[in-house]
Amino acid sequence: VLLKSPSTGRASVTLDGRDFGNFVNHPLMRKASARAVKNTRFVFGPPSETHIRAGAIEFVGSWPALGTAYACTMRCDGGDAIGTDAPNVSIQARSVAPPPEVKAAALKAVPPADHEKVVAAELVTFFTSLLLDLDGVELRYGSMVVNANGGGRRSGGSTGSSTSSSSSSSSNGGSSSSTSDGKLEGSGVDGTVSLQLNLFVRQFPPLNIMF
């Protein structure tokens, strides 16, 4: 099938905490994150340390250039990042341990006192400008919705549901029910995140494509 002109559309994928952790550790994401912070590598932590709760995504990671590990909290502020000046994502990064002086001195572009703000700002840019090329199908970040207790509550407090011009896919196999403490039975997590993606189809990928 030959495309006379590129096609565009929208897609949605719903992930739980472990799914999101696997997503940021996928080989394509590891390749992209090699220049995530100040044009240097950011290493996302294991999926087991990624959680979705209290309307936010919590994950860990490290910045080898500074020799520091971080506990990060990502929230969405509503709206669509595409076509706007401000991203709809905010991130807070808290260092697990102070950066070693030798590393901090080696990276003169980042004052030690500002490294948490630098990491947070760089990760916001990384996620909201992300582009994945799946052999001719380009996926760009559009927006993010954090679903708490099976609902469609945005982390900013407003309510809504995710929409897409294509079918939504969920990685949560089977059904789950809410418990009294707000967690979802059966999934082992207490929330999900729906990523709205903008598609740009230049060519159809091969039938044996491996994601």
Side-chain angles (χ1 to χ4, degrees), residues 11 15-16 19 21 26 28 50 63 72 77 84 106 111 127 131 134 139 142 144 146 153 159-160 172 178 183 189:
L15 311 171
D16 63 20
D19 290 333
H26 188 278
L28 284 176
T50 303
W63 187 13
C72 302
D77 303 322
T84 61
F127 280 109
L131 184 153
L134 305 180
L139 300 174
M144 179 182 79
V146 176
R153 182 174 64 81
T159 59
N172 294 330
S178 178
K183 292 187 177 181
V189 297

Side-chain angles (χ1 to χ4, degrees), residues 72-86:
C72 302
T73 302
M74 180 164 63
R75 300 180 184 275
C76 66
D77 303 322
D80 194 318
I82 301 300
T84 61
D85 294 330

